[in-house]
Amino acid sequence: MYRLFVFLFVVPASFLLELSLEAQYNAPSQKVFTRQDTLRGSITPERAWWDLTYYHLDIKVNPSDSTIYGTNTVTYRVINPAKIMQIDLQEPLNLTGAMQNDKPLSYRREGNVYWIELADKQEPGKIYSVLLSYGGRPRISKRPPWDGGITWKKDSKGFPFVASACQGDGASLWWPCKDHMYDEPDSMLITVNVPGNLMDVSNGRLRSVVKQKNNTKTYNWFVSNPINNYGVNINVGDYTHFSEVYKGEKGPLECNYYVLKEDLDKAKIQFKQVPLMLAAFEHWFGPYPFYEDGYKLVEVPYLGMEHQSSVTYGNGFKNGYRGTDLSKSGWGLKFDFIIVHESAHEWFANSITYEDIADMWIHESFANYAESLYVEYYYGKEAGSEYVLGTRSNIRNDRPIIGIYNVNYEGSGDMYYKGGNMLNTLRQIVNDDEKWRDILRGLNKEFYHQVVKGSQIENFLSEKTGINLQKFFDQYLRDIRIPVFEFYVKGNELTFRWNNCVRGFDMPLRIYVSGNAMDISPKTMPTTIKLDSDNVTIKVDPGYYVATLNVTGK
Ligand SMILES: [Zn+2]
């Protein structure tokens, strides 16, 4: 997903110094979490006892009355026997039945949660299924993809143009599921029945299209890899299709493109950026993570979203973000923002997935940073650096990047630009481009197709860089202050320290002493070092996201 925030004001570095050293961010006091938030955002006992193995979502999408009706078969392995199963389905949709082994089950609703009472004995290690029937008029998205729901639009010829998007709000706003990111099915079949003149495009590969007698068609899409809830999608329209085969690191990768018929010519030009994107990201991150399911780009009536193996696209076949450069460096107009940003999420979001949305930086900081790596791959290191530095003016430092755990509450939008700059800062510390690329590729190997906690990513980066990055992540992910490098020169002595930072902040830093690079290790207590000469100029490497203050005012 991509969120654009309006930039508010610039905070001068001198102002930051007036903040107390130990100023800590507190959760917004006005935010009150409810039992529904806890049910949605935590691994409840009624979720923890069963392990998802397979979903078969089988639905009929009716554009004429904006309804969805159907079933979801939930297949699972019992970890610890229990009687009550939590299934999420949001209002105004209703569950109309639950069955196991052909016997109806009783259930009770509590807001967006259904408590299903299982009748048969649940034996540990064994596989069971529950068939859930549901339907109604799902919530309509007012502002997709930021506001979850279904978008019911029409194309210029009057054909229905329908799409789902639900990150944050949850997949349970359009289908019944275990709506927590910690558990993914190993595979999934998505069966979608639509009016006969339309097509549905969902995730994975198209297994079959079945013509029904009532002038409808049923599309069967099979995802052969684990998939997170919000990654699942339906896109219904008067689509046309073209394809190509990309010769990638793991062999031939099928790329399929679905666009409205009226946009075919434009798409054939704009989507030439897909193989460029794949080449850049396979270089930086390793093989595309879903060769078995192929890669798809699907036109939708909203900006776009990282749906797994079915990236959705609504950027108007223009470069930049809706034609603008978010970095203001000029480099942002060299590529289609949605193709690059949303596809980067195949590595960071769909393959490596956050367990709790509080750690959404795992998706967005890396996808944001990936934009600059794309620029670097084609236009050189300096261009990539200009791009990432250019995005700094969008950073707000309003609240921490990490949100609040177990209540489905994400952190600041700074997870994008500040997160990207945090990773770029880390690269300066590593100061070895090959090692840095190995680390990025290593992340994608180590956590391939896994759901992870942010701390696992932090620990991996500490281990692979050989630097204890705990304070570094505390500063950039859990605090809102920009660390200030304070220094002064007296004769041939340089004195410096970190200020406006977390206790014990100890990030190594590269400075230029009259143009000569020098690596130093500032602490929060002052350090004095001797220089070769006096009358020097001191400059901090601009790749670090820090503020600088010469305390003598020079
Ligand atoms: Zn994103």
Side-chain angles (χ1 to χ4, degrees):
M1 174 146 51
Y2 178 73
R3 290 185 181 184
L4 181 61
F5 291 94
V6 179
F7 176 60
L8 297 175
F9 54 88
V10 179
V11 183
S14 57
F15 170 79
L16 293 168
L17 294 177
E18 291 164 19
L19 297 172
S20 143
L21 185 71
E22 289 305 317
Q24 286 294 320
Y25 170 82
N26 292 310
S29 52
Q30 71 274 21
K31 182 75 193 167
V32 176
F33 294 104
T34 64
R35 174 166 157 81
Q36 284 288 313
D37 294 323
T38 299
L39 292 178
R40 171 81 176 82
S42 64
I43 304 171
T44 61
E46 293 80 7
R47 281 175 172 152
W49 67 268
W50 52 286
D51 175 33
L52 266 175
T53 59
Y54 183 67
Y55 280 136
H56 178 198
L57 180 64
D58 182 355
I59 56 173
K60 181 176 178 64
V61 176
N62 304 299
S64 60
D65 61 0
S66 311
T67 60
I68 293 178
Y69 283 94
T71 60
N72 185 25
T73 306
V74 180
T75 303
Y76 60 95
R77 182 181 291 107
V78 174
I79 301 169
N80 299 302
K83 283 274 168 205
I84 306 290
M85 168 182 269
Q86 177 178 345
I87 290 291
D88 304 273
L89 183 65
Q90 298 181 31
E91 291 164 341
L93 293 178
N94 291 307
L95 204 64
T96 53
M99 309 263 286
Q100 186 161 67
N101 297 325
D102 300 321
K103 283 174 286 191
L105 302 172
S106 55
Y107 52 82
R108 177 174 68 82
R109 183 167 212 168
E110 184 183 353
N112 292 327
V113 168
Y114 281 91
W115 304 110
I116 315 278
E117 278 180 48
L118 297 164
D120 290 350
K121 193 173 177 219
Q122 308 286 307
E123 287 187 46
K126 288 212 168 154
I127 304 272
Y128 298 82
S129 287
V130 172
L131 174 68
L132 304 165
S133 305
Y134 80 106
R137 197 166 279 140
R139 207 166 91 201
I140 292 171
S141 177
K142 292 185 195 88
R143 213 175 136 256
W146 303 285
D147 174 60
I150 306 290
T151 303
W152 307 90
K153 288 256 169 80
K154 293 224 158 112
D155 69 15
S156 68
K157 290 184 196 132
F159 288 109
F161 194 19
V162 180
S164 64
C166 59
Q167 187 182 16
D169 296 296
S172 56
L173 67 76
W174 67 280
W175 55 287
C177 57
K178 181 192 259 191
D179 207 354
H180 192 288
M181 297 289 282
Y182 89 97
D183 199 2
E184 296 183 356
D186 304 327
S187 60
M188 179 166 183
L189 177 60
I190 306 162
T191 300
V192 183
N193 178 262
V194 295
N197 59 341
L198 302 176
M199 177 175 193
D200 169 67
V201 185
S202 290
N203 315 75
R205 287 185 188 273
L206 184 58
R207 198 180 245 184
S208 62
V209 184
V210 183
K211 263 192 168 176
Q212 310 287 355
K213 284 187 184 132
N214 59 356
N215 195 29
T216 63
K217 278 184 191 160
T218 302
Y219 290 81
N220 288 296
W221 292 90
F222 184 70
V223 185
S224 65
N225 284 301
I227 182 166
N228 71 52
N229 291 324
Y230 82 79
V232 176
N233 76 153
I234 50 166
N235 304 288
V236 179
D238 180 29
Y239 284 117
T240 186
H241 163 246
F242 62 105
S243 66
E244 66 180 314
V245 175
Y246 174 76
K247 287 188 190 125
E249 282 195 20
K250 259 173 87 173
L253 169 63
E254 210 177 302
C255 299
N256 285 290
Y257 309 115
Y258 294 88
V259 295
L260 295 181
K261 285 176 185 154
E262 62 205 58
D263 292 325
L264 181 61
D265 293 344
K266 282 183 275 182
K268 280 194 164 168
I269 296 166
Q270 194 71 1
F271 291 2
K272 284 188 175 151
Q273 293 187 35
V274 168
L276 298 177
M277 171 279 294
L278 288 167
F281 290 161
E282 287 209 325
H283 169 84
W284 286 111
F285 304 144
Y288 173 75
F290 305 102
Y291 270 70
E292 307 77 11
D293 291 325
Y295 172 87
K296 285 199 295 293
L297 202 53
V298 186
E299 187 178 356
V300 287
Y302 63 86
L303 184 60
M305 186 70 202
E306 66 254 28
H307 300 113
Q308 183 173 314
S309 66
S310 175
V311 173
T312 48
Y313 178 89
N315 199 32
F317 307 96
K318 280 187 288 209
N319 275 3
Y321 174 90
R322 290 179 157 144
T324 67
D325 176 8
L326 296 174
S327 77
K328 299 162 203 85
S329 67
W331 297 111
L333 293 176
K334 296 285 188 186
F335 62 94
D336 187 310
F337 180 91
I338 292 299
I339 293 176
V340 167
H341 177 95
E342 305 303 341
S343 300
H345 281 309
E346 293 279 32
W347 286 263
F348 293 97
N350 297 335
S351 179
I352 306 177
T353 308
Y354 61 67
E355 178 183 296
D356 191 306
I357 200 168
D359 284 325
M360 191 168 161
W361 68 274
I362 300 168
H363 298 194
E364 299 303 349
S365 299
F366 281 96
N368 174 279
Y369 182 57
E371 297 158 23
S372 69
L373 292 179
Y374 178 91
V375 170
E376 175 171 337
Y377 187 79
Y378 288 106
Y379 304 101
K381 196 171 172 182
E382 207 175 314
S385 173
E386 283 171 20
Y387 182 89
V388 70
L389 267 62
T391 64
R392 286 182 184 170
S393 63
N394 302 317
I395 298 172
R396 302 195 301 182
N397 288 308
D398 55 347
R399 57 192 186 92
I401 286 176
I402 292 182
I404 298 170
Y405 293 102
N406 298 317
V407 285
N408 196 43
Y409 190 75
E410 65 191 62
S412 166
D414 281 348
M415 68 178 84
Y416 294 83
Y417 311 107
K418 187 177 175 182
N421 271 283
M422 174 186 78
L423 294 170
N424 187 57
T425 299
L426 184 53
R427 181 187 185 171
Q428 311 314 310
I429 298 169
V430 171
N431 195 28
D432 178 338
D433 289 349
E434 271 315 298
K435 184 175 177 183
W436 181 238
R437 184 162 82 101
D438 282 348
I439 289 171
L440 295 172
R441 290 176 69 102
L443 270 170
N444 280 281
K445 242 187 183 160
E446 177 85 8
F447 301 112
Y448 179 75
H449 289 184
Q450 283 181 40
V451 175
V452 299
K453 295 179 200 297
S455 56
Q456 289 174 266
I457 303 295
E458 293 176 38
N459 293 341
F460 180 90
L461 291 171
S462 274
E463 188 189 314
K464 297 299 167 185
T465 56
I467 303 162
N468 183 345
L469 296 169
Q470 193 200 322
K471 299 291 175 190
F472 172 84
F473 288 121
D474 285 348
Q475 184 70 52
Y476 288 106
L477 296 176
R478 299 182 178 87
D479 197 283
I480 62 169
R481 292 168 294 173
I482 307 170
V484 177
F485 175 69
E486 292 182 352
F487 73 94
Y488 62 87
V489 178
K490 204 168 160 190
N492 67 343
E493 283 184 345
L494 169 66
T495 300
F496 53 80
R497 68 162 181 170
W498 287 120
N499 199 355
N500 198 48
C501 55
V502 298
R503 190 190 289 269
F505 185 66
D506 55 359
M507 181 173 78
L509 184 70
R510 187 167 316 108
I511 57 171
Y512 292 92
V513 180
S514 295
N516 299 314
M518 179 187 276
D519 289 323
I520 56 173
S521 302
K523 312 280 185 231
T524 51
M525 295 302 285
T527 304
T528 300
I529 57 171
K530 279 214 171 5
L531 303 171
D532 293 340
S533 58
D534 38 17
N535 271 329
V536 294
T537 58
I538 302 292
K539 270 198 126 167
V540 169
D541 186 319
Y544 291 78
Y545 180 59
V546 298
T548 303
L549 180 70
N550 181 343
V551 295
T552 57
K554 286 177 192 158

